[in-house]
Short mmCIF file of all heavy atoms in Angstrom, two decimals:
data_model
loop_
_atom_site.label_atom_id
_atom_site.label_comp_id
_atom_site.label_asym_id
_atom_site.label_seq_id
_atom_site.Cartn_x
_atom_site.Cartn_y
_atom_site.Cartn_z
N ILE A 1069 0.85 -1.18 0.00
CA ILE A 1069 0.00 0.00 0.00
C ILE A 1069 0.89 1.23 0.00
O ILE A 1069 1.76 1.36 0.86
CB ILE A 1069 -0.95 0.04 1.20
CG1 ILE A 1069 -1.77 -1.26 1.31
CG2 ILE A 1069 -1.87 1.25 1.10
CD1 ILE A 1069 -2.73 -1.47 0.16
N ALA A 1070 0.65 2.11 -0.94
CA ALA A 1070 1.45 3.32 -1.08
C ALA A 1070 0.56 4.55 -1.04
O ALA A 1070 -0.64 4.49 -1.29
CB ALA A 1070 2.24 3.30 -2.38
N TRP A 1071 1.19 5.67 -0.71
CA TRP A 1071 0.54 6.97 -0.83
C TRP A 1071 1.32 7.80 -1.84
O TRP A 1071 2.56 7.86 -1.78
CB TRP A 1071 0.50 7.71 0.50
CG TRP A 1071 -0.44 7.12 1.51
CD1 TRP A 1071 -0.14 6.22 2.48
CD2 TRP A 1071 -1.83 7.42 1.65
NE1 TRP A 1071 -1.26 5.93 3.22
CE2 TRP A 1071 -2.31 6.65 2.74
CE3 TRP A 1071 -2.72 8.26 0.98
CZ2 TRP A 1071 -3.65 6.69 3.15
CZ3 TRP A 1071 -4.04 8.29 1.40
CH2 TRP A 1071 -4.49 7.52 2.47
N PHE A 1072 0.59 8.41 -2.74
CA PHE A 1072 1.12 9.40 -3.67
C PHE A 1072 0.36 10.69 -3.46
O PHE A 1072 -0.72 10.70 -2.87
CB PHE A 1072 0.96 8.93 -5.12
CG PHE A 1072 1.84 7.77 -5.50
CD1 PHE A 1072 1.52 6.48 -5.14
CD2 PHE A 1072 3.00 7.99 -6.24
CE1 PHE A 1072 2.33 5.41 -5.50
CE2 PHE A 1072 3.82 6.93 -6.60
CZ PHE A 1072 3.48 5.65 -6.23
N ARG A 1073 0.92 11.77 -3.95
CA ARG A 1073 0.22 13.05 -3.86
C ARG A 1073 0.47 13.87 -5.11
O ARG A 1073 1.48 13.72 -5.78
CB ARG A 1073 0.65 13.84 -2.62
CG ARG A 1073 2.08 14.33 -2.65
CD ARG A 1073 2.44 14.99 -1.33
NE ARG A 1073 3.80 15.53 -1.34
CZ ARG A 1073 4.39 16.08 -0.29
NH1 ARG A 1073 3.74 16.16 0.88
NH2 ARG A 1073 5.63 16.54 -0.38
N GLN A 1074 -0.48 14.73 -5.40
CA GLN A 1074 -0.36 15.62 -6.53
C GLN A 1074 -0.71 17.04 -6.09
O GLN A 1074 -1.87 17.32 -5.76
CB GLN A 1074 -1.25 15.18 -7.69
CG GLN A 1074 -1.02 15.95 -8.97
CD GLN A 1074 -1.59 15.25 -10.18
OE1 GLN A 1074 -2.43 14.35 -10.06
NE2 GLN A 1074 -1.14 15.64 -11.35
N ALA A 1075 0.28 17.90 -6.08
CA ALA A 1075 0.10 19.28 -5.69
C ALA A 1075 -0.35 20.11 -6.89
O ALA A 1075 -0.12 19.71 -8.04
CB ALA A 1075 1.40 19.83 -5.12
N PRO A 1076 -0.95 21.26 -6.63
CA PRO A 1076 -1.37 22.11 -7.74
C PRO A 1076 -0.21 22.45 -8.66
O PRO A 1076 0.85 22.90 -8.20
CB PRO A 1076 -1.91 23.36 -7.04
CG PRO A 1076 -2.34 22.87 -5.70
CD PRO A 1076 -1.34 21.82 -5.33
N GLY A 1077 -0.39 22.23 -9.94
CA GLY A 1077 0.63 22.55 -10.92
C GLY A 1077 1.80 21.61 -10.97
O GLY A 1077 2.77 21.88 -11.70
N LYS A 1078 1.75 20.52 -10.23
CA LYS A 1078 2.86 19.57 -10.21
C LYS A 1078 2.38 18.17 -10.59
O LYS A 1078 1.19 17.87 -10.57
CB LYS A 1078 3.51 19.53 -8.83
CG LYS A 1078 4.21 20.82 -8.44
CD LYS A 1078 5.00 20.65 -7.15
CE LYS A 1078 5.77 21.89 -6.80
NZ LYS A 1078 6.57 21.71 -5.56
N GLU A 1079 3.34 17.33 -10.91
CA GLU A 1079 3.03 15.95 -11.23
C GLU A 1079 2.88 15.12 -9.96
O GLU A 1079 3.36 15.49 -8.89
CB GLU A 1079 4.11 15.36 -12.13
CG GLU A 1079 4.25 16.08 -13.46
CD GLU A 1079 5.06 15.31 -14.46
OE1 GLU A 1079 5.21 14.08 -14.31
OE2 GLU A 1079 5.54 15.93 -15.42
N ARG A 1080 2.19 14.01 -10.10
CA ARG A 1080 2.00 13.13 -8.97
C ARG A 1080 3.34 12.56 -8.49
O ARG A 1080 4.17 12.14 -9.31
CB ARG A 1080 1.04 12.00 -9.35
CG ARG A 1080 0.56 11.18 -8.17
CD ARG A 1080 -0.59 10.26 -8.58
NE ARG A 1080 -1.73 11.01 -9.07
CZ ARG A 1080 -2.89 10.45 -9.42
NH1 ARG A 1080 -3.05 9.13 -9.32
NH2 ARG A 1080 -3.87 11.21 -9.87
N GLU A 1081 3.54 12.55 -7.18
CA GLU A 1081 4.80 12.10 -6.64
C GLU A 1081 4.59 11.08 -5.52
O GLU A 1081 3.58 11.08 -4.82
CB GLU A 1081 5.62 13.28 -6.11
CG GLU A 1081 5.01 13.99 -4.91
CD GLU A 1081 5.91 15.06 -4.33
OE1 GLU A 1081 7.08 15.17 -4.75
OE2 GLU A 1081 5.43 15.82 -3.45
N PHE A 1082 5.59 10.25 -5.36
CA PHE A 1082 5.60 9.23 -4.34
C PHE A 1082 5.76 9.84 -2.96
O PHE A 1082 6.54 10.78 -2.77
CB PHE A 1082 6.76 8.26 -4.62
CG PHE A 1082 7.06 7.31 -3.51
CD1 PHE A 1082 6.28 6.19 -3.29
CD2 PHE A 1082 8.15 7.52 -2.69
CE1 PHE A 1082 6.57 5.30 -2.28
CE2 PHE A 1082 8.46 6.64 -1.67
CZ PHE A 1082 7.66 5.53 -1.47
N VAL A 1083 5.04 9.29 -1.98
CA VAL A 1083 5.14 9.74 -0.60
C VAL A 1083 5.72 8.65 0.29
O VAL A 1083 6.72 8.86 0.97
CB VAL A 1083 3.77 10.20 -0.06
CG1 VAL A 1083 3.88 10.60 1.41
CG2 VAL A 1083 3.23 11.36 -0.89
N VAL A 1084 5.08 7.49 0.29
CA VAL A 1084 5.51 6.39 1.16
C VAL A 1084 4.88 5.09 0.66
O VAL A 1084 3.83 5.11 0.03
CB VAL A 1084 5.10 6.65 2.63
CG1 VAL A 1084 3.58 6.74 2.77
CG2 VAL A 1084 5.66 5.60 3.57
N VAL A 1085 5.54 3.97 0.95
CA VAL A 1085 4.99 2.66 0.66
C VAL A 1085 5.24 1.73 1.84
O VAL A 1085 6.30 1.77 2.47
CB VAL A 1085 5.57 2.06 -0.64
CG1 VAL A 1085 7.08 1.81 -0.51
CG2 VAL A 1085 4.85 0.77 -1.02
N ASP A 1086 4.25 0.91 2.13
CA ASP A 1086 4.35 -0.14 3.13
C ASP A 1086 4.24 -1.48 2.42
O ASP A 1086 3.22 -1.76 1.78
CB ASP A 1086 3.25 -0.01 4.18
CG ASP A 1086 3.29 -1.12 5.21
OD1 ASP A 1086 4.30 -1.24 5.92
OD2 ASP A 1086 2.30 -1.89 5.30
N ARG A 1087 5.28 -2.30 2.50
CA ARG A 1087 5.31 -3.56 1.77
C ARG A 1087 4.92 -4.72 2.67
O ARG A 1087 5.16 -4.70 3.87
CB ARG A 1087 6.70 -3.78 1.17
CG ARG A 1087 7.11 -2.66 0.21
CD ARG A 1087 8.36 -2.99 -0.54
NE ARG A 1087 8.15 -4.10 -1.45
CZ ARG A 1087 9.13 -4.72 -2.11
NH1 ARG A 1087 10.38 -4.33 -1.95
NH2 ARG A 1087 8.83 -5.72 -2.93
N PRO A 1088 4.31 -5.77 2.09
CA PRO A 1088 3.86 -6.91 2.88
C PRO A 1088 4.98 -7.90 3.17
O PRO A 1088 6.14 -7.69 2.76
CB PRO A 1088 2.80 -7.54 1.98
CG PRO A 1088 3.31 -7.28 0.59
CD PRO A 1088 3.93 -5.90 0.67
N PHE A 1089 4.62 -8.97 3.86
CA PHE A 1089 5.53 -10.07 4.15
C PHE A 1089 6.75 -9.62 4.95
O PHE A 1089 7.86 -10.13 4.75
CB PHE A 1089 5.96 -10.79 2.87
CG PHE A 1089 4.84 -11.12 1.95
CD1 PHE A 1089 4.83 -10.63 0.66
CD2 PHE A 1089 3.79 -11.91 2.38
CE1 PHE A 1089 3.79 -10.94 -0.20
CE2 PHE A 1089 2.74 -12.22 1.53
CZ PHE A 1089 2.75 -11.73 0.23
N GLY A 1090 6.56 -8.69 5.83
CA GLY A 1090 7.65 -8.20 6.64
C GLY A 1090 8.60 -7.27 5.92
O GLY A 1090 9.71 -7.01 6.41
N GLY A 1091 8.21 -6.78 4.78
CA GLY A 1091 9.05 -5.87 4.01
C GLY A 1091 9.18 -4.51 4.67
O GLY A 1091 8.46 -4.16 5.62
N ASP A 1092 10.08 -3.73 4.14
CA ASP A 1092 10.37 -2.42 4.72
C ASP A 1092 9.36 -1.36 4.30
O ASP A 1092 8.57 -1.55 3.36
CB ASP A 1092 11.77 -1.97 4.30
CG ASP A 1092 12.87 -2.80 4.93
OD1 ASP A 1092 12.65 -3.35 6.03
OD2 ASP A 1092 13.95 -2.89 4.33
N THR A 1093 9.41 -0.26 5.01
CA THR A 1093 8.66 0.93 4.67
C THR A 1093 9.62 1.98 4.14
O THR A 1093 10.71 2.18 4.70
CB THR A 1093 7.92 1.46 5.91
OG1 THR A 1093 7.03 0.46 6.39
CG2 THR A 1093 7.15 2.72 5.58
N TYR A 1094 9.24 2.64 3.06
CA TYR A 1094 10.10 3.62 2.42
C TYR A 1094 9.37 4.95 2.29
O TYR A 1094 8.24 4.99 1.81
CB TYR A 1094 10.54 3.14 1.04
CG TYR A 1094 11.27 1.82 1.07
CD1 TYR A 1094 10.59 0.63 0.88
CD2 TYR A 1094 12.65 1.78 1.30
CE1 TYR A 1094 11.26 -0.58 0.93
CE2 TYR A 1094 13.31 0.57 1.34
CZ TYR A 1094 12.62 -0.61 1.16
OH TYR A 1094 13.28 -1.81 1.19
N TYR A 1095 10.04 6.03 2.70
CA TYR A 1095 9.47 7.37 2.66
C TYR A 1095 10.25 8.24 1.68
O TYR A 1095 11.47 8.14 1.58
CB TYR A 1095 9.54 8.03 4.03
CG TYR A 1095 8.65 7.42 5.08
CD1 TYR A 1095 9.09 6.36 5.86
CD2 TYR A 1095 7.37 7.92 5.32
CE1 TYR A 1095 8.29 5.80 6.83
CE2 TYR A 1095 6.56 7.37 6.30
CZ TYR A 1095 7.02 6.30 7.05
OH TYR A 1095 6.22 5.76 8.02
N ALA A 1096 9.53 9.11 1.00
CA ALA A 1096 10.19 10.14 0.22
C ALA A 1096 10.95 11.07 1.16
O ALA A 1096 10.53 11.33 2.29
CB ALA A 1096 9.17 10.93 -0.59
#
């Protein structure tokens, strides 16, 4: 499960992802 965001006048960008099976979490 990830979160992305799109600010006014900008392209959609990665924010954070939570991976399954004990995987890591990664933040922008």
Side-chain angles (χ1 to χ4, degrees):
I1069 306 294
W1071 290 93
F1072 291 78
R1073 67 185 182 185
Q1074 188 163 17
K1078 294 188 176 181
E1079 299 194 20
R1080 192 169 299 184
E1081 66 175 351
F1082 168 78
V1083 177
V1084 62
V1085 64
D1086 178 62
R1087 301 189 67 189
F1089 312 121
D1092 291 333
T1093 300
Y1094 302 93
Y1095 293 87

